Amino acid sequence: MRKLNPLFTLILFLLGTTTAFSQTSVSVGLSYGSFNYDISGTKYTGDGGVINLDGQLSPSLNYNLSISDGKFDDVVLNNSEGSITYMVFPNIGVDLIGSQIKLATVQETDTSLGVSYNLYTSSLGIKVYAGSDINNYGKFYTYGTKVKLDVTQGSSLILSYKTEDRKQKATTMDARFVYDLTSNLGLNLGYKSAETKNAAGTAVVLKGNTTYAGILYKF
């Protein structure tokens, strides 16, 4: 059995406890994904599932999670990212950030602790964050940004970018388009790319993308 990143286990626990809070909201996206990756010249193409989870336990506690899970013949892909943010001030948060990339010879897991600056308006949300690996604090860093833009009434575009400076330097970019069909149900369309380099940053080890489409349900 594959081990889950502790951050993701905590997020799933938080999701399970949302019904105990009066001020909660959560949206869950379930999608079909098509995967295309290259590891040092060896190509992997397959399909699987993609889960997008965004929620709020209270005005000061937010969490999100993205999991891509598939299979290429007998090789398993897992590319997971998530964070929990506790707002200590209206615009300043403390973040627990986790990620996991597993495919063939590439296996990297990172859990970082850091801070974020958050700016929200009626139609735009921006988050900029930076942190360091909790097991090697001050040695390996994670930083990135996330933007949510309301395109029209009932539709939004979510863009994110993250770089992790660690054993294998990893960069991920994600673009999602959400279109509301009803007050609770919507379409969830997305594209995610991932790239890892060697420790020196001179050679690409893994490079590829995931394209996905599915439904989004808001509780």
Side-chain angles (χ1 to χ4, degrees), residues 16-46:
T17 61
T18 54
T19 54
F21 295 81
S22 59
Q23 293 180 312
T24 62
S25 64
V26 60
S27 64
V28 180
L30 301 175
S31 304
Y32 165 80
S34 175
F35 309 116
N36 296 277
Y37 286 87
D38 184 306
I39 299 180
S40 301
T42 302
K43 297 186 182 296
Y44 298 88
T45 302

Side-chain angles (χ1 to χ4, degrees), residues 94-126:
V94 174
D95 292 67
L96 183 62
I97 309 160
S99 67
Q100 181 173 268
I101 296 178
K102 290 186 177 182
L103 175 61
T105 58
V106 176
Q107 297 190 30
E108 284 290 328
T109 300
D110 176 78
T111 303
S112 298
L113 183 66
V115 296
S116 63
Y117 178 77
N118 302 264
L119 178 64
Y120 300 103
T121 68
S122 59
S123 60
L124 177 67
I126 300 175

Side-chain angles (χ1 to χ4, degrees), residues 66-88:
S66 172
I67 297 177
S68 302
D69 199 90
K71 199 168 185 179
F72 307 86
D73 296 326
D74 59 345
V75 179
V76 173
L77 164 73
N78 180 273
N79 186 357
S80 306
E81 297 180 81
S83 67
I84 300 173
T85 302
Y86 178 74
M87 303 301 298
V88 293

